[in-house]
Amino acid sequence: MSTGQSSTRFAGAVEKLGRPHDVRGLTLSGLHMVLAMRLCAMFDQAGRDPVPDLAQRYRSIEAACAVHGLVQTIKQVWPEPFMVNRPCCLAMTPDEVTLAALVRNALGADRGSFGQVIDGFVRVERHGALYDATVHAAALLPSA
């Protein structure tokens, strides 16, 4: 693929990610995941373990551990630091928009679309670990 074809292929994705997105447009599962990522980042910065607070929020230690496991997986597979906004912010970062799309596809058991969301960004050999961690965490979060 030539450089021109490659830049054209991803131009639409880059433009889409550049537009502001609002957390109020997310599904409940997507909102929970984005807010959990924000809380994990806040606790990480403070040097605290987020699991006890997540367990209280979701009334499930298993869900809290699964979300924390997803955060750890993202730290390992994401090619750059995962950017989040403050928990009170309605706007989403491009990384949060991507995470919401991954959650949507994971809950729909659509591994193909899941891979398309991160194709060219996250190395292909890392997709499986990210998919498994996302499915596990999203399945345990409250959806209603």
Side-chain angles (χ1 to χ4, degrees):
M1 182 180 294
S2 72
T3 306
Q5 290 173 324
S6 178
S7 63
T8 303
R9 178 178 170 216
F10 296 113
V14 170
E15 180 184 337
K16 189 176 178 181
L17 288 173
R19 283 186 242 131
H21 290 80
D22 192 311
V23 296
R24 293 174 291 189
L26 295 175
T27 63
L28 187 56
S29 296
L31 178 62
H32 277 302
M33 193 63 72
V34 168
L35 290 178
M37 291 295 292
R38 291 176 178 188
L39 290 173
C40 286
M42 187 176 69
F43 280 107
D44 189 46
Q45 189 174 26
R48 289 183 48 202
D49 180 8
V51 174
D53 286 67
L54 291 173
Q56 184 177 10
R57 173 179 288 268
Y58 300 121
R59 294 185 173 97
S60 168
I61 293 172
E62 187 179 13
C65 289
V67 168
H68 191 253
L70 175 59
V71 170
Q72 296 308 313
T73 301
I74 287 174
K75 284 181 177 181
Q76 291 174 350
V77 305
W78 222 249
E80 57 192 30
F82 191 93
M83 301 303 294
V84 296
N85 279 331
R86 295 180 185 152
C88 60
C89 189
L90 295 177
M92 294 190 305
T93 68
D95 287 334
E96 292 172 332
V97 172
T98 302
L99 176 63
L102 294 177
V103 169
R104 184 175 50 255
N105 289 312
L107 287 173
D110 190 349
R111 194 169 187 146
S113 294
F114 183 96
Q116 286 177 350
V117 170
I118 52 177
D119 187 38
F121 181 64
V122 174
R123 293 190 328 213
V124 174
E125 65 270 12
R126 297 177 173 184
H127 287 196
L130 185 57
Y131 180 79
D132 293 341
T134 306
V135 167
H136 185 172
L140 293 170
L141 288 178
S143 60

